[in-house]
Amino acid sequence: QQQVKQSPQSLIVQKGGISIINCAYENTAFDYFPWYQQFPGKGPALLIAIRPDVSEKKEGRFTISFNKSAKQFSLHIMDSQPGDSATYFCAASEPGTYKYIFGTGTRLKVLA
Amino acid sequence: NAGVMQNPRHLVRRRGQEARLRCSPMKGHSHVYWYRQLPEEGLKFMVYLQKENIIDESGMPKERFSAEFPKEGPSILRIQQVVRGDSAAYFCASSQTGYNTEAFFGQGTRLTVV
């Protein structure tokens, strides 16, 4: 119940294309869903986050889509660039807690 | 405004030695979390601390691991008598408030046990 399942494990996209990463969860108590970007040898950096009272949040080229009934959320990267090549992690947490449950990560490669 | 600072960045220890990992949170942050990342895996929660208090250590192995966050100075994650299975990247994160809030991660300490 505490798991967050992330797919795909790896993704190759052409420059200018759309990258889509999906996450699914079971625990309906989760109410905060951040996405982190991690470059090799670096720490995870917060990219964008959403709460379940909205179905979509957009920041620049990054969009989170949230489907509460399906218990799924996804990250869309529009106009993907080689500089977006990194590992992306979704996460979730319950209200009143501080622990993030992380997905297993998606390694994105954007071809020039 | 400096981010979360971790040191050392890389640490090599022989089996049986002790490893000490340090984390200085962002200015104004009094909540610290430690996560462990094994190769090709996601991050796993280990422990949550506030100044001078351990709030939740449910993700930390019962033996050989300990953490502290003193009134003055950085948070310390200590691993005694390291074994090869302890080899991982250890990340510290900090936040202003403790609940359901943005946490900012440091660059991690990569521990290698030889």
Side-chain angles (χ1 to χ4, degrees), chain A residues 10-109:
Chain A
S10 62
L11 182 61
I12 299 175
V13 173
Q14 294 287 338
K15 180 182 175 182
I18 302 174
S19 304
I20 302 174
I21 304 170
N22 301 299
C23 285
Y25 62 96
E26 290 294 324
N27 185 351
T28 55
F30 287 151
D31 79 336
Y32 181 67
F33 302 89
W35 283 90
Y36 281 85
Q37 178 189 56
Q38 185 180 30
F39 292 104
K42 303 293 185 184
L46 180 65
L47 198 59
I48 187 171
I50 197 168
R51 296 189 186 273
D53 52 346
V54 296
S55 60
E56 186 175 281
K57 183 175 181 181
K58 185 176 180 179
E59 289 184 4
R61 296 184 295 110
F62 301 93
T63 300
I64 299 180
S65 296
F66 189 84
N67 187 330
K68 191 173 181 178
S69 60
K71 292 183 284 186
Q72 295 176 347
F73 59 109
S74 59
L75 176 70
H76 291 62
I77 306 174
M78 313 300 287
D79 188 26
S80 299
Q81 299 296 313
D84 297 329
S85 297
T87 300
Y88 292 82
F89 293 96
C90 62
S93 68
E94 292 184 31
T97 71
Y98 30 77
K99 283 187 270 196
Y100 288 169
I101 309 298
F102 279 88
T104 49
T106 295
R107 188 173 291 180
L108 171 66
K109 183 167 185 174

Side-chain angles (χ1 to χ4, degrees), chain B residues 13-44:
Chain B
R13 284 287 177 265
R14 294 188 183 280
R15 280 178 294 170
Q17 290 186 319
E18 178 180 288
R20 280 187 178 234
L21 288 61
R22 295 175 187 76
C23 169
S24 296
M26 286 179 69
K27 189 176 181 181
H29 288 190
S30 58
H31 301 257
V32 166
Y33 320 81
W34 286 92
Y35 286 79
R36 177 164 65 176
Q37 184 177 33
L38 293 170
E40 307 300 322
E41 289 189 17
L43 290 84
K44 304 280 190 220

